[in-house]
Amino acid sequence: MSWLQKRCVVVPVDFSEGSFQAVGVAKEFLEKGGDLHVIHVTQPWNEHEIGGSWGQQTEEDRLRSIEKAIQEKLQAKDHEDVRIAIHMGSPPAEIVRYAEQVGAELIVMPSVGKTGLKHFALGSVAERVVRRAHCPVLVLRKKDQKKGKAKKIIDYD
């Protein structure tokens, strides 16, 4: 067993492609027989939202729908052996709380990559998780994929 192998890894997902790719990366750090947890944190409906107080769907129905959607997405990527948790509240706080609760040894999550004013105004879930987590946090950075611009490759002798 490598020192990089962990018994319990947590991956927060927000339905972005990057968050589901993080599940695959997390599996590489998981020791055989270890537990891989996926958590999605949502906000409660308020009375003015569709589906809120005058909608047909209850909060419990919505949480079951979210869990089912995550299961389908994970199965499509061959990640069936994952424990799924759906929480309500502040994403950074709930991610850290859940990781502590399950005894996570690593949290793997993508970075949205906001900079400048957007980062200052909105903050970063990944940054807040890094600051509060009891265990190491691996923040994955998306590869630069600017359209229309080819990168130069320089060969060195």
Side-chain angles (χ1 to χ4, degrees):
M1 177 178 85
S2 166
W3 65 274
L4 291 173
Q5 298 293 291
K6 307 298 180 190
R7 291 185 305 271
C8 182
V9 180
V10 170
V11 182
V13 296
D14 60 2
F15 287 97
S16 67
E17 190 59 33
S19 66
F20 285 101
Q21 289 173 349
V23 175
V25 172
K27 284 183 103 175
E28 295 178 27
F29 287 94
L30 196 64
E31 71 180 32
K32 187 173 179 145
D35 294 324
L36 181 57
H37 296 261
V38 166
I39 180 171
H40 175 78
V41 182
T42 187
Q43 299 292 323
W45 274 330
N46 69 41
E47 61 189 46
H48 303 292
E49 292 180 288
I50 302 280
S53 63
W54 35 277
Q56 297 297 319
Q57 190 178 36
T58 66
E59 286 284 359
E60 292 78 23
D61 292 338
R62 184 171 72 111
L63 296 177
R64 280 192 293 275
S65 297
I66 291 169
E67 184 173 359
K68 183 180 177 188
I70 290 173
Q71 285 173 339
E72 290 171 359
K73 188 79 168 173
L74 291 172
Q75 286 175 351
K77 295 190 173 284
D78 294 326
H79 301 310
E80 293 91 10
D81 54 341
V82 175
R83 297 176 188 212
I84 300 171
I86 312 298
H87 287 221
M88 285 192 180
S90 164
E94 290 300 317
I95 292 165
V96 169
R97 187 176 300 124
Y98 182 73
E100 289 174 359
Q101 178 185 0
V102 299
E105 296 176 316
L106 178 66
I107 300 171
V108 178
M109 61 190 304
S111 170
V112 178
K114 291 179 182 156
T115 58
L117 187 56
K118 282 185 181 178
H119 176 74
F120 178 75
L122 301 174
S124 166
V125 172
E127 181 179 342
R128 286 183 259 164
V129 169
V130 166
R131 291 180 187 272
R132 297 177 183 174
H134 72 286
C135 63
V137 179
L138 174 61
V139 180
L140 306 174
R141 189 170 154 187
K142 187 176 180 181
K143 291 182 181 178
D144 190 15
Q145 298 175 345
K146 293 183 180 179
K147 295 180 181 178
K149 293 187 178 183
K151 292 186 177 182
K152 288 185 178 182
I153 299 174
I154 301 171
D155 292 326
Y156 292 98
D157 288 293

